[in-house]
Amino acid sequence: MSNAPRLTSLDALHRSLGATMTDFAGWDMPLRYGSERDEHNAVRTKAGLFDLSHMGEITVTGPQAAELLDFALVGNIGSVGVGRARYTMICQEDGGIVDDLIVYRLGETEYMVVANAGNAQIVLDAVTERAEGFDAEVRDDRDAYALIAVQGPESPGILKSLTDADLDGLKYYAGLPGTVAGIPALIARTGYTGEDGFELFVEPQHAEKLWQALTEAGAPAGLIPCGLSCRDTLRLEAGMPLYGHELTTALTPFDAGLGRVVKFEKEGDFVGREALRAAAERAAASPPRKLVGLIAEGRRVPRAGMAVVAVGGADAPVIGEVTSGAPSPTLGKPIAIAYVDAAHAEPGTPGVGVDIRGTHEPYEVVALPFYKRQK
């Protein structure tokens, strides 16, 4: 078996644009094309174009597709209307998070589950295993799709110039089939940047033509290609969790402050129900740690794994851990997401710092997200 990274159908195009490539979850992906800050700011103020073809698409079809997904995942998937999407999770029997997902209902008995690139095989295997006894088929469709995202305040106008689909009627977390630049696509109003935007699922052989059409249509509006680096700072500012950082198998959705995705009221059993009920009760009684935002008072950048400490005391006890950190182009300061002991988690709590290579740098505790777009 080859250890060479997988290539998206836009690989040659990225290289022709001078992208800095990186191995991400077994895929060769563009990290940046030019300045990370410029790419980030383009998405916040104009528009950015992303290749997300590394994401894992799993199709579930059949008379009991909804029942299977209700059993396999923690959300109430049976209540999702045709043409709508839902953010949810798949958990282990002990409640640990296997992955966070978006599920699109494409038809009465057809769903598409989109998993993170690094977890796609794990999710596919888990859903396939959990399908036993259900009249439903689970299909690996990772090679059937390329995924291109256009994100930012100018994205509706750019996309409107290329499609006659009803974008005005397309709600957030909804999708509809249409054509974009003459190419059949599933047009979804979803994203991971904190901005309005669209994710376009197309056949891989059409990806380059679609990218070029979006590039040309978006040029007057300031659209530029964007890599994974600014995708990370955008989602960090928007307080969106990243699997492997804020979400892991060691944590339940309740630990992550995302207990709302677990739907105990749905009919039938689901994997992890008992453990998650206990986790919900623990979190309600006395949450051990809470997910918070931290804004630096200085210039030093926190990184995942660094200790959060109570400064001012003689021994500066460890009270948490940074899960993600980066300079924030929008705030102009370093920011971090961290799990912090509940006693220190209230916004404005004094005396909180991050141990950055032996120095306790002061940080302000804030509620997430750091950035919320004006509707």
Side-chain angles (χ1 to χ4, degrees), residues 131-162:
E132 193 176 336
F134 289 93
D135 186 4
E137 182 197 344
V138 180
R139 190 172 70 233
D140 180 0
D141 268 350
R142 283 177 286 179
D143 293 334
Y145 293 103
L147 178 55
I148 294 174
V150 55
Q151 297 278 305
E154 298 289 342
S155 57
I158 293 167
L159 200 56
K160 273 181 193 173
S161 71
L162 296 171

mmCIF file of all heavy atoms in Angstrom, residues 131-162:
data_model
loop_
_atom_site.group_PDB
_atom_site.id
_atom_site.type_symbol
_atom_site.label_atom_id
_atom_site.label_comp_id
_atom_site.label_asym_id
_atom_site.label_seq_id
_atom_site.Cartn_x
_atom_site.Cartn_y
_atom_site.Cartn_z
ATOM 1 N N ALA A 131 -25.069 -0.603 10.502
ATOM 2 C CA ALA A 131 -26.170 -0.803 9.548
ATOM 3 C C ALA A 131 -26.745 -2.208 9.599
ATOM 4 O O ALA A 131 -27.801 -2.465 8.998
ATOM 5 C CB ALA A 131 -25.687 -0.506 8.133
ATOM 6 N N GLU A 132 -26.078 -3.101 10.317
ATOM 7 C CA GLU A 132 -26.543 -4.490 10.378
ATOM 8 C C GLU A 132 -27.970 -4.543 10.937
ATOM 9 O O GLU A 132 -28.270 -3.951 11.975
ATOM 10 C CB GLU A 132 -25.613 -5.333 11.272
ATOM 11 C CG GLU A 132 -25.862 -6.816 11.118
ATOM 12 C CD GLU A 132 -24.864 -7.651 11.931
ATOM 13 O OE1 GLU A 132 -23.768 -7.157 12.226
ATOM 14 O OE2 GLU A 132 -25.232 -8.779 12.259
ATOM 15 N N GLY A 133 -28.852 -5.219 10.191
ATOM 16 C CA GLY A 133 -30.236 -5.344 10.625
ATOM 17 C C GLY A 133 -31.159 -4.263 10.090
ATOM 18 O O GLY A 133 -32.369 -4.344 10.263
ATOM 19 N N PHE A 134 -30.572 -3.239 9.438
ATOM 20 C CA PHE A 134 -31.399 -2.175 8.842
ATOM 21 C C PHE A 134 -31.495 -2.390 7.332
ATOM 22 O O PHE A 134 -30.527 -2.811 6.698
ATOM 23 C CB PHE A 134 -30.786 -0.795 9.104
ATOM 24 C CG PHE A 134 -30.880 -0.339 10.535
ATOM 25 C CD1 PHE A 134 -29.834 -0.591 11.425
ATOM 26 C CD2 PHE A 134 -32.006 0.327 11.004
ATOM 27 C CE1 PHE A 134 -29.902 -0.172 12.746
ATOM 28 C CE2 PHE A 134 -32.089 0.749 12.322
ATOM 29 C CZ PHE A 134 -31.038 0.497 13.204
ATOM 30 N N ASP A 135 -32.638 -2.068 6.762
ATOM 31 C CA ASP A 135 -32.835 -2.158 5.310
ATOM 32 C C ASP A 135 -32.296 -0.867 4.685
ATOM 33 O O ASP A 135 -33.054 0.034 4.318
ATOM 34 C CB ASP A 135 -34.316 -2.355 4.986
ATOM 35 C CG ASP A 135 -34.546 -2.597 3.493
ATOM 36 O OD1 ASP A 135 -33.542 -2.683 2.751
ATOM 37 O OD2 ASP A 135 -35.720 -2.673 3.085
ATOM 38 N N ALA A 136 -30.968 -0.782 4.647
ATOM 39 C CA ALA A 136 -30.307 0.420 4.141
ATOM 40 C C ALA A 136 -28.924 0.053 3.620
ATOM 41 O O ALA A 136 -28.310 -0.910 4.090
ATOM 42 C CB ALA A 136 -30.179 1.467 5.245
ATOM 43 N N GLU A 137 -28.460 0.833 2.648
ATOM 44 C CA GLU A 137 -27.138 0.588 2.056
ATOM 45 C C GLU A 137 -26.224 1.761 2.381
ATOM 46 O O GLU A 137 -26.621 2.924 2.285
ATOM 47 C CB GLU A 137 -27.266 0.456 0.528
ATOM 48 C CG GLU A 137 -25.941 0.156 -0.166
ATOM 49 C CD GLU A 137 -25.975 0.436 -1.669
ATOM 50 O OE1 GLU A 137 -27.070 0.577 -2.235
ATOM 51 O OE2 GLU A 137 -24.880 0.526 -2.254
ATOM 52 N N VAL A 138 -24.997 1.443 2.782
ATOM 53 C CA VAL A 138 -23.977 2.462 3.072
ATOM 54 C C VAL A 138 -22.932 2.401 1.967
ATOM 55 O O VAL A 138 -22.365 1.335 1.715
ATOM 56 C CB VAL A 138 -23.321 2.204 4.450
ATOM 57 C CG1 VAL A 138 -22.266 3.270 4.747
ATOM 58 C CG2 VAL A 138 -24.372 2.165 5.553
ATOM 59 N N ARG A 139 -22.694 3.545 1.323
ATOM 60 C CA ARG A 139 -21.793 3.560 0.164
ATOM 61 C C ARG A 139 -20.681 4.595 0.357
ATOM 62 O O ARG A 139 -20.941 5.728 0.737
ATOM 63 C CB ARG A 139 -22.601 3.892 -1.091
ATOM 64 C CG ARG A 139 -21.845 3.716 -2.403
ATOM 65 C CD ARG A 139 -22.775 3.882 -3.594
ATOM 66 N NE ARG A 139 -23.223 5.252 -3.784
ATOM 67 C CZ ARG A 139 -24.498 5.635 -3.891
ATOM 68 N NH1 ARG A 139 -25.483 4.749 -3.798
ATOM 69 N NH2 ARG A 139 -24.817 6.913 -4.054
ATOM 70 N N ASP A 140 -19.462 4.171 0.085
ATOM 71 C CA ASP A 140 -18.304 5.075 0.124
ATOM 72 C C ASP A 140 -18.302 5.900 -1.157
ATOM 73 O O ASP A 140 -18.031 5.385 -2.238
ATOM 74 C CB ASP A 140 -17.023 4.238 0.235
ATOM 75 C CG ASP A 140 -15.765 5.090 0.284
ATOM 76 O OD1 ASP A 140 -15.879 6.329 0.238
ATOM 77 O OD2 ASP A 140 -14.667 4.507 0.368
ATOM 78 N N ASP A 141 -18.601 7.181 -1.049
ATOM 79 C CA ASP A 141 -18.663 8.050 -2.229
ATOM 80 C C ASP A 141 -17.540 9.094 -2.239
ATOM 81 O O ASP A 141 -17.652 10.131 -2.905
ATOM 82 C CB ASP A 141 -20.030 8.751 -2.298
ATOM 83 C CG ASP A 141 -21.032 7.961 -3.132
ATOM 84 O OD1 ASP A 141 -20.616 6.997 -3.796
ATOM 85 O OD2 ASP A 141 -22.228 8.302 -3.110
ATOM 86 N N ARG A 142 -16.442 8.799 -1.532
ATOM 87 C CA ARG A 142 -15.353 9.774 -1.464
ATOM 88 C C ARG A 142 -14.773 10.104 -2.834
ATOM 89 O O ARG A 142 -14.346 11.233 -3.074
ATOM 90 C CB ARG A 142 -14.245 9.257 -0.539
ATOM 91 C CG ARG A 142 -14.585 9.403 0.930
ATOM 92 C CD ARG A 142 -13.521 8.818 1.819
ATOM 93 N NE ARG A 142 -13.557 7.351 1.802
ATOM 94 C CZ ARG A 142 -12.718 6.586 2.490
ATOM 95 N NH1 ARG A 142 -11.763 7.139 3.212
ATOM 96 N NH2 ARG A 142 -12.823 5.274 2.457
ATOM 97 N N ASP A 143 -14.754 9.115 -3.739
ATOM 98 C CA ASP A 143 -14.200 9.366 -5.073
ATOM 99 C C ASP A 143 -15.234 9.907 -6.053
ATOM 100 O O ASP A 143 -14.912 10.221 -7.194
ATOM 101 C CB ASP A 143 -13.585 8.078 -5.643
ATOM 102 C CG ASP A 143 -12.354 7.638 -4.850
ATOM 103 O OD1 ASP A 143 -11.713 8.509 -4.233
ATOM 104 O OD2 ASP A 143 -12.058 6.425 -4.835
ATOM 105 N N ALA A 144 -16.482 10.009 -5.605
ATOM 106 C CA ALA A 144 -17.552 10.449 -6.509
ATOM 107 C C ALA A 144 -17.701 11.966 -6.533
ATOM 108 O O ALA A 144 -18.394 12.508 -7.399
ATOM 109 C CB ALA A 144 -18.876 9.819 -6.090
ATOM 110 N N TYR A 145 -17.061 12.644 -5.556
ATOM 111 C CA TYR A 145 -17.252 14.086 -5.432
ATOM 112 C C TYR A 145 -15.934 14.842 -5.336
ATOM 113 O O TYR A 145 -14.990 14.383 -4.692
ATOM 114 C CB TYR A 145 -18.049 14.427 -4.162
ATOM 115 C CG TYR A 145 -19.474 13.967 -4.160
ATOM 116 C CD1 TYR A 145 -19.852 12.828 -3.432
ATOM 117 C CD2 TYR A 145 -20.459 14.663 -4.848
ATOM 118 C CE1 TYR A 145 -21.174 12.401 -3.407
ATOM 119 C CE2 TYR A 145 -21.784 14.244 -4.825
ATOM 120 C CZ TYR A 145 -22.131 13.119 -4.102
ATOM 121 O OH TYR A 145 -23.441 12.698 -4.068
ATOM 122 N N ALA A 146 -15.920 16.022 -5.957
ATOM 123 C CA ALA A 146 -14.988 17.080 -5.582
ATOM 124 C C ALA A 146 -15.828 18.105 -4.827
ATOM 125 O O ALA A 146 -17.038 18.217 -5.061
ATOM 126 C CB ALA A 146 -14.351 17.705 -6.812
ATOM 127 N N LEU A 147 -15.208 18.824 -3.920
ATOM 128 C CA LEU A 147 -15.949 19.805 -3.115
ATOM 129 C C LEU A 147 -15.212 21.137 -3.153
ATOM 130 O O LEU A 147 -14.046 21.225 -2.771
ATOM 131 C CB LEU A 147 -16.086 19.303 -1.671
ATOM 132 C CG LEU A 147 -16.792 20.227 -0.676
ATOM 133 C CD1 LEU A 147 -18.177 20.621 -1.159
ATOM 134 C CD2 LEU A 147 -16.871 19.566 0.696
ATOM 135 N N ILE A 148 -15.911 22.143 -3.659
ATOM 136 C CA ILE A 148 -15.350 23.494 -3.761
ATOM 137 C C ILE A 148 -16.229 24.425 -2.940
ATOM 138 O O ILE A 148 -17.455 24.376 -3.038
ATOM 139 C CB ILE A 148 -15.289 23.954 -5.234
ATOM 140 C CG1 ILE A 148 -14.281 23.093 -6.011
ATOM 141 C CG2 ILE A 148 -14.926 25.436 -5.333
ATOM 142 C CD1 ILE A 148 -14.261 23.366 -7.503
ATOM 143 N N ALA A 149 -15.604 25.271 -2.127
ATOM 144 C CA ALA A 149 -16.365 26.214 -1.313
ATOM 145 C C ALA A 149 -16.038 27.638 -1.733
ATOM 146 O O ALA A 149 -14.879 27.967 -1.974
ATOM 147 C CB ALA A 149 -16.041 26.026 0.167
ATOM 148 N N VAL A 150 -17.072 28.461 -1.805
ATOM 149 C CA VAL A 150 -16.887 29.903 -1.972
ATOM 150 C C VAL A 150 -17.503 30.545 -0.739
ATOM 151 O O VAL A 150 -18.674 30.322 -0.423
ATOM 152 C CB VAL A 150 -17.476 30.424 -3.303
ATOM 153 C CG1 VAL A 150 -18.939 30.053 -3.466
ATOM 154 C CG2 VAL A 150 -17.306 31.936 -3.418
ATOM 155 N N GLN A 151 -16.684 31.292 0.006
ATOM 156 C CA GLN A 151 -17.090 31.815 1.307
ATOM 157 C C GLN A 151 -16.803 33.305 1.393
ATOM 158 O O GLN A 151 -15.780 33.777 0.888
ATOM 159 C CB GLN A 151 -16.302 31.088 2.415
ATOM 160 C CG GLN A 151 -16.570 29.595 2.500
ATOM 161 C CD GLN A 151 -17.820 29.265 3.278
ATOM 162 O OE1 GLN A 151 -17.999 29.661 4.415
ATOM 163 N NE2 GLN A 151 -18.725 28.535 2.637
ATOM 164 N N GLY A 152 -17.697 34.025 2.073
ATOM 165 C CA GLY A 152 -17.484 35.451 2.262
ATOM 166 C C GLY A 152 -18.697 36.252 1.849
ATOM 167 O O GLY A 152 -19.589 35.746 1.157
ATOM 168 N N PRO A 153 -18.761 37.528 2.263
ATOM 169 C CA PRO A 153 -19.963 38.333 2.010
ATOM 170 C C PRO A 153 -20.305 38.520 0.533
ATOM 171 O O PRO A 153 -21.470 38.732 0.194
ATOM 172 C CB PRO A 153 -19.639 39.685 2.680
ATOM 173 C CG PRO A 153 -18.184 39.669 2.976
ATOM 174 C CD PRO A 153 -17.777 38.248 3.098
ATOM 175 N N GLU A 154 -19.304 38.419 -0.348
ATOM 176 C CA GLU A 154 -19.579 38.581 -1.781
ATOM 177 C C GLU A 154 -19.984 37.265 -2.454
ATOM 178 O O GLU A 154 -20.310 37.251 -3.644
ATOM 179 C CB GLU A 154 -18.348 39.161 -2.500
ATOM 180 C CG GLU A 154 -17.929 40.540 -2.040
ATOM 181 C CD GLU A 154 -18.902 41.637 -2.460
ATOM 182 O OE1 GLU A 154 -19.715 41.395 -3.379
ATOM 183 O OE2 GLU A 154 -18.849 42.726 -1.863
ATOM 184 N N SER A 155 -19.959 36.154 -1.710
ATOM 185 C CA SER A 155 -20.179 34.853 -2.344
ATOM 186 C C SER A 155 -21.580 34.689 -2.951
ATOM 187 O O SER A 155 -21.695 34.105 -4.036
ATOM 188 C CB SER A 155 -19.854 33.706 -1.381
ATOM 189 O OG SER A 155 -20.612 33.783 -0.203
ATOM 190 N N PRO A 156 -22.670 35.198 -2.327
ATOM 191 C CA PRO A 156 -23.975 35.028 -2.992
ATOM 192 C C PRO A 156 -24.022 35.690 -4.367
ATOM 193 O O PRO A 156 -24.536 35.107 -5.325
ATOM 194 C CB PRO A 156 -24.957 35.675 -2.009
ATOM 195 C CG PRO A 156 -24.279 35.605 -0.684
ATOM 196 C CD PRO A 156 -22.824 35.807 -0.984
ATOM 197 N N GLY A 157 -23.486 36.896 -4.468
ATOM 198 C CA GLY A 157 -23.498 37.599 -5.746
ATOM 199 C C GLY A 157 -22.672 36.898 -6.804
ATOM 200 O O GLY A 157 -23.072 36.811 -7.972
ATOM 201 N N ILE A 158 -21.518 36.381 -6.387
ATOM 202 C CA ILE A 158 -20.648 35.663 -7.329
ATOM 203 C C ILE A 158 -21.361 34.422 -7.857
ATOM 204 O O ILE A 158 -21.396 34.169 -9.065
ATOM 205 C CB ILE A 158 -19.316 35.281 -6.639
ATOM 206 C CG1 ILE A 158 -18.508 36.541 -6.311
ATOM 207 C CG2 ILE A 158 -18.491 34.334 -7.520
ATOM 208 C CD1 ILE A 158 -17.352 36.299 -5.356
ATOM 209 N N LEU A 159 -21.956 33.651 -6.946
ATOM 210 C CA LEU A 159 -22.597 32.402 -7.356
ATOM 211 C C LEU A 159 -23.852 32.670 -8.197
ATOM 212 O O LEU A 159 -24.129 31.934 -9.153
ATOM 213 C CB LEU A 159 -22.942 31.566 -6.117
ATOM 214 C CG LEU A 159 -23.169 30.074 -6.371
ATOM 215 C CD1 LEU A 159 -21.988 29.424 -7.054
ATOM 216 C CD2 LEU A 159 -23.481 29.356 -5.061
ATOM 217 N N LYS A 160 -24.580 33.726 -7.847
ATOM 218 C CA LYS A 160 -25.794 34.067 -8.607
ATOM 219 C C LYS A 160 -25.489 34.308 -10.083
ATOM 220 O O LYS A 160 -26.339 34.040 -10.945
ATOM 221 C CB LYS A 160 -26.456 35.310 -8.015
ATOM 222 C CG LYS A 160 -27.424 35.021 -6.894
ATOM 223 C CD LYS A 160 -28.043 36.316 -6.387
ATOM 224 C CE LYS A 160 -28.766 36.063 -5.073
ATOM 225 N NZ LYS A 160 -29.244 37.310 -4.469
ATOM 226 N N SER A 161 -24.294 34.826 -10.363
ATOM 227 C CA SER A 161 -23.948 35.117 -11.757
ATOM 228 C C SER A 161 -23.695 33.849 -12.564
ATOM 229 O O SER A 161 -23.588 33.900 -13.786
ATOM 230 C CB SER A 161 -22.712 36.026 -11.805
ATOM 231 O OG SER A 161 -21.544 35.320 -11.409
ATOM 232 N N LEU A 162 -23.609 32.691 -11.874
ATOM 233 C CA LEU A 162 -23.282 31.434 -12.553
ATOM 234 C C LEU A 162 -24.393 30.390 -12.482
ATOM 235 O O LEU A 162 -24.244 29.293 -13.011
ATOM 236 C CB LEU A 162 -21.996 30.836 -11.950
ATOM 237 C CG LEU A 162 -20.724 31.652 -12.125
ATOM 238 C CD1 LEU A 162 -19.597 31.044 -11.294
ATOM 239 C CD2 LEU A 162 -20.306 31.724 -13.588
#
